[in-house]
Amino acid sequence: MKRKADTRGSSKLLCRNETKILKQERWLPDIRTGRWTLKYEERFRKGPGLNYPGEVTAEAGTEAMILEVRCLSVSVWGRTQDGWLCLYMSGTWYVE
């Protein structure tokens, strides 16, 4: 992964899938670990991605401490102690 800049929220991160060759490189926001606030109601998932089941629902306005960040093809996911949350997907921010 290559970082273009280090400013929170305004930089982008080039995510490349190391096991497959992507037809197109995608630029995703460089989201850091730390405390974030959910903009929408969201489910804590067992893993990063919509294919993982959602267990508990978090209300909009909930503060989440992101411990780890993972980039997928068009999304960025954050791990909390309660599960994984979508932070950004296809141009939409789910946290602030």
Side-chain angles (χ1 to χ4, degrees):
M1 287 190 242
K2 297 180 183 176
R3 290 192 193 283
K4 189 172 181 181
D6 284 340
T7 310
R8 179 180 172 170
S10 65
S11 64
K12 301 204 180 243
L13 180 67
L14 176 61
C15 290
R16 293 185 183 170
N17 187 331
E18 295 175 7
T19 59
K20 299 185 231 174
I21 297 174
L22 294 176
K23 292 183 180 178
Q24 180 179 0
E25 293 178 341
R26 300 173 196 263
W27 288 93
L28 295 170
D30 185 9
I31 299 177
R32 310 287 177 143
T33 57
R35 191 165 303 282
W36 291 84
T37 303
L38 299 182
K39 292 171 71 175
Y40 309 101
E41 182 178 277
E42 208 174 326
R43 289 185 181 182
F44 288 101
R45 296 183 179 273
K46 289 191 175 208
L50 295 175
N51 54 322
Y52 289 94
E55 298 175 331
V56 178
T57 302
E59 303 270 333
T62 300
E63 285 194 356
M65 177 58 87
I66 304 301
L67 306 171
E68 176 185 350
V69 175
R70 181 125 3 125
C71 295
L72 300 182
S73 62
V74 296
S75 60
V76 180
W77 292 78
R79 182 179 60 82
T80 70
Q81 65 182 28
D82 297 317
W84 289 83
L85 294 169
C86 182
L87 308 175
Y88 174 91
M89 184 179 289
S90 300
T92 301
W93 283 89
Y94 292 91
V95 293
E96 52 188 8

